[in-house]
Amino acid sequence: MQIGVPFSSAATAVEEIRQGDESGRDYVLRLAQEKSRAGLALVGDDATVWSLGADTLGLVDDEILEKPRDFTDFARMMRLMSGREHSVLTAICLSGSDQSFSDVVETRVRFRTLDRALIEGYWNTGEPRDKAGGYGIQGMGALLVESIHGSYSNVVGLPLETLAGFLQRAGIPYWQFDKRSSGADAGTV
């Protein structure tokens, strides 16, 4: 638990398909905004409710790196990022009944040089299968990373420093911790 904001999660039916020649930045921003609006629509006219939508992707040479379809796609992405820098873009959107805040945060990540054994070994952990760009820096994927320039929490998938600014603008306190909690309860971010 890094911040104390009570929440509930909801699955929304936002289709994650890039439109035409939409840039990576425009794509993640549109998805975050659509997810946020879809979440808000689930609660109706409650003016006290806010909805947070987010989306993350990797970007190398203007190529968008989403979740790998299979090992072949994963290995291709790893070879693209091997020994060089890529961008991680996360868009977040916080929507209320009468206002909305959104932004795209970029972090530059440099991978160490990856050989076939390392790529196969990481794939076999199971971790990369549902991760944008095929890795999770907060898990075993950290072993692939040589350095980062920018927000670590952005690479994880939710830039907390940007979110904190949105929460402050919305008047939502983010230091609300249940003193009886061990910090592992679902319901706090």
Side-chain angles (χ1 to χ4, degrees), residues 9 31 52 93 99 104 112 118 124 128 130 160 179 181 187:
S9 60
L31 290 178
L52 177 66
C93 180
Q99 58 183 330
V104 178
R112 62 193 189 117
L118 186 58
N124 289 333
D130 69 340
L160 294 176
K179 303 223 184 326
S181 168

Side-chain angles (χ1 to χ4, degrees), residues 7-105:
F7 76 95
S8 59
S9 60
T12 58
V14 172
E15 221 175 2
E16 297 186 12
I17 297 175
R18 188 173 170 206
Q19 298 177 348
D21 57 351
E22 191 173 37
S23 72
R25 184 172 291 277
D26 290 343
Y27 178 42
V28 291
L29 182 58
R30 177 179 56 81
L31 290 178
Q33 290 169 337
E34 288 179 4
K35 290 175 181 182
S36 181
R37 285 192 298 268
L40 199 57
L42 293 173
V43 296
D45 287 337
D46 188 342
T48 66
V49 174
W50 290 83
S51 175
L52 177 66
D55 201 78
T56 301
L57 60 78
L59 195 62
V60 175
D61 299 332
D62 295 325
E63 181 176 342
I64 293 175
L65 306 176
E66 298 182 86
K67 296 174 185 174
R69 294 181 299 278
D70 52 28
F71 174 74
T72 301
D73 189 39
F74 167 75
R76 179 190 62 79
M77 289 191 292
M78 291 296 108
R79 286 190 302 272
L80 278 172
M81 294 183 285
S82 177
R84 60 187 293 217
E85 236 181 35
H86 63 277
S87 291
V88 174
L89 302 176
T90 301
I92 63 171
C93 180
L94 182 65
S95 300
S97 61
D98 62 350
Q99 58 183 330
S100 181
F101 312 106
S102 59
D103 199 3
V104 178
V105 178

